[in-house]
């Protein structure tokens, strides 16, 4: 099963390829340029799942609009789950359930402080740090990035322009 992503950009082909190279470097992806595209190995994360998407990325001139279309076809996907973080969240959930149920089961009162500590620890260690970074975020980064100054021929000047 392959997934296709595309983004319309108001940049030239060379600017888009330079932006892809810069974005891949800052993202931690592996970019192998070939002609008007290349092969992209893009790490993405969705909470406890982390994936590596691999496939061709191409830039095509759009005759109907100014600019170009950037397409990424994720042909291969490797997914892994962070099992250690999942275990911490499971322990935190058990602790939260114990902390909520002790009024109905008084024998659980002696476990309630430990349950509260487990629930708070799970939140601080895992849940508050879960992030999502997917292909759409990468394509947005490519759209927002500017080619290096050396590639555009601008050697002096304000870098914020």
């Amino acid at each position: 099963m392959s997934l296709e992503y595309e983004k319309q950009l108001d940049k030239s082909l060379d600017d888009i390829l330079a932006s892809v190279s810069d974005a891949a470097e800052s993202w931690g992806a592996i970019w192998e340029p070939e002609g008007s595209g290349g092969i992209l190995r893009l790490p993405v994360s969705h909470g406890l799942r982390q994936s590596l998407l691999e496939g061709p990325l191409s830039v095509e001139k759009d005759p109907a609009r100014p600019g170009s279309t950037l397409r990424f076809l994720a042909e291969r996907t490797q997914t892994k789950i962070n099992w250690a973080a999942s275990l911490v969240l499971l322990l935190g959930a058990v602790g939260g359930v114990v902390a909520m149920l002790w009024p109905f089961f008084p024998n659980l009162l002696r476990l309630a402080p430990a349950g509260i500590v487990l629930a708070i620890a799970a939140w601080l260690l895992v849940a508050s740090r879960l992030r999502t970074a997917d292909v759409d975020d990468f394509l947005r980064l490519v759209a927002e990035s500017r080619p290096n100054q050396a590639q555009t021929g601008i050697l002096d000047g304000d870098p914020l322009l």
Side-chain angles (χ1 to χ4, degrees):
M1 179 176 99
S2 55
L3 301 171
E4 185 173 349
Y5 302 90
E6 74 175 44
K7 180 113 177 136
Q8 299 290 332
L9 301 174
D10 294 331
K11 295 181 180 183
S12 68
L13 176 75
D14 294 334
D15 288 345
I16 291 174
L17 291 176
S19 295
V20 167
S21 178
D22 293 343
E25 184 178 330
S26 67
W27 190 275
I30 298 172
W31 169 241
E32 299 172 5
E34 297 173 359
S36 65
I39 302 296
L40 180 66
R41 290 179 188 89
L42 185 68
V44 296
S45 62
H46 296 101
L48 295 173
R49 279 189 343 235
Q50 297 171 341
S51 301
L52 179 66
L53 305 177
E54 181 179 351
L57 184 135
S58 62
V59 181
E60 300 167 0
K61 183 77 173 151
D62 192 354
R65 301 181 191 147
S68 302
T69 303
L70 180 64
R71 279 197 179 85
F72 176 58
L73 181 64
E75 294 176 339
R76 288 194 287 171
T77 304
Q78 296 174 344
T79 302
K80 65 177 185 173
I81 294 179
N82 187 342
W83 290 108
S86 299
L87 179 63
V88 170
L89 284 177
L90 180 64
L91 289 174
V94 169
V97 168
V98 167
M100 288 181 0
L101 290 180
W102 76 264
F104 304 108
F105 301 99
N107 291 339
L108 293 178
L109 180 58
R110 60 189 166 95
L111 297 176
I116 292 170
V117 168
L118 282 174
I120 292 172
W123 173 260
L124 293 175
L125 291 174
V126 178
S128 66
R129 297 178 183 186
L130 290 179
R131 301 287 181 253
T132 298
D134 59 4
V135 177
D136 294 327
D137 296 328
F138 177 77
L139 295 179
R140 192 174 311 116
L141 179 64
V142 170
E144 293 171 356
S145 71
R146 293 182 12 190
N148 288 336
Q149 289 180 347
Q151 293 171 340
T152 60
I154 301 172
L155 298 177
D156 297 324
D158 187 5
L160 298 177
L161 290 178

